[in-house]
Amino acid sequence: MGRPKNFEPEAVVADAMEAFWTNGYAGTSPADLAEATGVAKGSLYHSFGSKRELFGKALDLYDRVGAEVTEDYLSRPGTAKECIRAYLLHLVEMDLAGPVKRGCLVVNTTLELAGRDEEATKAVRRIAQRGIDLLAERIERGQRDGDVAADVDAMAVARFLMNTIGGLRVMARGFDGPVLRQVIDTALAVF
């Protein structure tokens, strides 16, 4: 049974995001989306266009929520390393706590579609760049506060950390917490 016509579009996008995150773009059929959202396929397409458009909205939602979490952790009191470590630990713990080890929607999308799908490639680059920028800003703040050396290249370290995040999110699908925490500590030793 579909949702009434007055369904909340943001809730539908959130439900679709969960389906895409768990099954991937190709692995999520229109029937899966209808089941996950409680909205009939025809209503989904009438409201959101195509599966591809709904996927784009799901990536946008993932980006917004992820940026809020990132900003929250990076704006907390403490040194740059302490804040970034807490953020990375949060990501790992979130991945490990789920009943299904699904990693990161952006990383999964990169592996599945980037380089073959122009829209997906642009989306994952945009999302990753936002994370890089937030990390670089926090490292620069650490430099101003005196807890990060002035000669550290904040952007280079932020890119390295984003690469580490991607790797952690993949590794969380098959490794346990102690291994992932060791990777975090090793990554943070670069600055």
Side-chain angles (χ1 to χ4, degrees):
M1 171 180 260
R3 288 186 179 168
K5 289 192 181 219
N6 62 355
F7 61 79
E8 291 294 323
E10 191 80 4
V12 172
V13 172
D15 291 341
M17 179 187 74
E18 294 293 330
F20 287 126
W21 192 356
T22 301
N23 303 309
Y25 177 74
T28 304
S29 70
D32 294 332
L33 289 169
E35 181 177 338
T37 63
V39 178
K41 287 187 280 186
S43 294
L44 274 175
Y45 288 118
H46 178 73
S47 297
F48 297 100
S50 65
K51 173 184 165 182
R52 188 66 184 82
E53 289 176 77
L54 182 55
F55 182 66
K57 291 181 185 311
L59 282 175
D60 290 343
L61 176 61
Y62 189 86
D63 179 28
R64 284 193 310 276
V65 171
E68 289 171 8
V69 169
T70 304
E71 289 169 352
D72 173 54
Y73 274 90
L74 299 183
S75 67
R76 292 179 180 183
T79 67
K81 278 188 184 185
E82 290 167 347
C83 292
I84 293 169
R85 185 175 196 279
Y87 170 59
L88 297 180
L89 286 171
H90 165 75
L91 294 176
V92 164
E93 296 306 322
M94 184 182 65
D95 284 345
L96 295 176
V100 176
K101 306 283 190 265
R102 57 189 182 170
C104 171
L105 178 60
V106 174
V107 172
N108 298 345
T109 301
T110 301
L111 295 171
E112 182 180 4
L113 299 174
R116 293 177 299 149
D117 179 312
E118 187 176 340
E119 286 179 48
T121 301
K122 287 178 184 177
V124 297
R125 283 185 183 162
R126 174 181 46 80
I127 294 167
Q129 189 60 53
R130 184 195 305 227
I132 291 166
D133 291 342
L134 291 170
L135 289 163
E137 288 169 14
R138 184 60 186 95
I139 294 165
E140 289 166 354
R141 182 177 142 204
Q143 289 173 315
R144 290 189 301 276
D145 293 346
D147 60 76
V148 175
D151 64 343
V152 167
D153 183 335
M155 187 56 72
V157 171
R159 287 181 182 127
F160 172 77
L161 291 172
M162 182 55 63
N163 185 64
T164 301
I165 289 168
L168 284 166
R169 305 298 301 272
V170 171
M171 286 183 71
R173 295 177 82 165
F175 287 83
D176 61 10
V179 170
L180 301 174
R181 284 188 284 282
Q182 183 181 42
V183 170
I184 290 169
D185 291 340
T186 302
L188 292 175
V190 303
F191 71 102

